[in-house]
Amino acid sequence: MVSDDPTAVRCTDIRRHFGEGEARVEVLCGVDHSVRRGELSFLVGPSGCGKTTLISVIAGLLEPTSGAVSLFGRNLGTMPPDERVLFRREHLGFVFQQYNLLQALTAAENAAVPLLAAGMRRLEAVDRARALLDRLGLGSRTGAYPRQLSGGQQQRVALARALVHEPRLVICDEPTAALDHATGEAVMELLATAAVHPDRAVLVVTHDSRVYHFADVIAHMDDGRIVRTEAGPSSPVPTSPFPSTAPA
Ligand SMILES: Nc1ncnc2c1ncn2[C@@H]1O[C@H](COP(=O)(O)OP(=O)(O)O)[C@@H](O)[C@H]1O
Ligand SMILES: [Mg+2]
């Protein structure tokens, strides 16, 4: 089901606009970008440059106007819809900027959703979710409902939901934005651990320069394009497949 392509994510000339006529806005203007397996890759850039739109296209949540996305060698665009749903459910974890938790479920139940969707027994699924929430410093809040949690706590529940089924690709939109420094570090450590695997990868959109030291690769986006890709501080020597334009 998953090929031996060395890339986790490959975007080829992705374009996407919103609106028509005078209201038409070109948001993605030909994005070529790759994330390799085993990589913790950052996507950074000014607000409004298209980061959330790009990761939504990569995750299959939004159709590109043109261009192709392949995940682990599988082209999302040519996959039959049913298969795409299953592929995403099994191989993808996504943390939305606005968390998107289910208000009627507790923190542990929210985090357990991907396991329940995969058919795991409820008790076991919730137990696993609790253990992960505990590692994220939420051990005492697993029975709380989203409205009883702070923004930072909800963000970590969303992160647990994205990681609990150990998907091959984890995509996070600003995962440390609502967190204090120590909690942000703990979250990034968990993401870095998830990426250190030959068949997995993590793609993080962030504005948070406090966590840049975790990056294997940093891709800079502006005006709907990737303008520069450089090896990050955490890169194990120059392994980036991209021409680095970082200062020597
Ligand atoms: N559904 C939409 N309809 C119209 N415009 C949108 C929509 N989603 C995003 N945009 C516009 O696309 C641009 C990029 O948005 P976004 O991808 O959210 O940027 P970023 O995540 O980098 O801040 C913004 O100008 C935004 O207003
Ligand atoms: Mg955004």
Side-chain angles (χ1 to χ4, degrees):
M1 163 121 195
V2 170
S3 84
D4 54 6
D5 186 309
T7 60
V9 178
R10 186 189 301 278
C11 299
T12 311
D13 198 21
I14 301 288
R15 292 168 192 273
R16 171 73 206 206
H17 67 268
F18 291 108
E20 294 301 336
E22 299 218 333
R24 182 177 165 122
V25 202
E26 307 292 336
V27 176
L28 301 178
C29 309
V31 173
D32 291 302
H33 188 49
S34 299
V35 177
R36 298 194 316 175
R37 297 181 189 210
E39 209 162 70
L40 174 54
S41 183
F42 278 29
L43 181 63
V44 306
S47 184
C49 73
K51 304 182 297 296
T52 296
T53 306
L54 177 58
I55 60 171
S56 302
V57 168
I58 290 173
L61 299 167
L62 186 69
E63 292 293 331
T65 310
S66 64
V69 177
S70 70
L71 301 182
F72 303 96
R74 301 287 316 274
N75 186 330
L76 272 196
T78 58
M79 237 182 245
D82 292 1
E83 198 181 329
R84 191 202 282 209
V85 168
L86 290 178
F87 183 93
R88 284 183 38 219
R89 189 185 290 168
E90 186 179 351
H91 297 302
L92 200 73
F94 195 96
V95 182
F96 298 89
Q97 218 164 350
Q98 305 305 330
Y99 322 136
N100 291 10
L101 299 176
L102 298 168
Q103 297 300 319
L105 300 186
T106 65
E109 289 164 348
N110 264 288
V113 161
L115 299 175
L116 297 169
M120 188 181 282
R121 284 187 313 120
R122 191 174 177 288
L123 275 182
E124 191 184 349
V126 172
D127 266 359
R128 281 214 204 170
R130 279 207 194 96
L132 186 52
L133 288 169
D134 195 38
R135 286 181 61 192
L136 287 164
L138 290 176
S140 64
R141 306 295 285 142
T142 59
Y145 290 89
R147 65 178 179 281
Q148 300 170 320
L149 299 172
S150 72
Q153 290 171 335
Q154 291 183 53
Q155 193 160 38
R156 279 174 283 160
V157 175
L159 185 75
R161 181 180 57 188
L163 292 171
V164 75
H165 54 312
E166 302 188 349
R168 287 172 186 255
L169 178 64
V170 177
I171 301 179
C172 306
D173 206 350
E174 309 271 6
T176 60
L179 305 180
D180 62 68
H181 182 67
T183 314
E185 289 273 314
V187 160
M188 287 311 304
E189 265 164 33
L190 209 62
L191 289 172
T193 306
V196 182
H197 188 288
D199 275 335
R200 299 180 69 184
V202 177
L203 172 59
V204 173
V205 167
T206 188
H207 267 108
D208 187 355
S209 56
R210 296 175 305 176
V211 298
Y212 281 8
H213 59 279
F214 284 98
D216 294 321
V217 170
I218 302 179
H220 297 261
M221 193 168 181
D222 202 1
D223 272 345
R225 289 186 182 83
I226 303 289
V227 292
R228 185 161 64 91
T229 302
E230 62 184 314
S234 178
S235 170
V237 202
T239 56
S240 170
F242 311 102
S244 172
T245 51

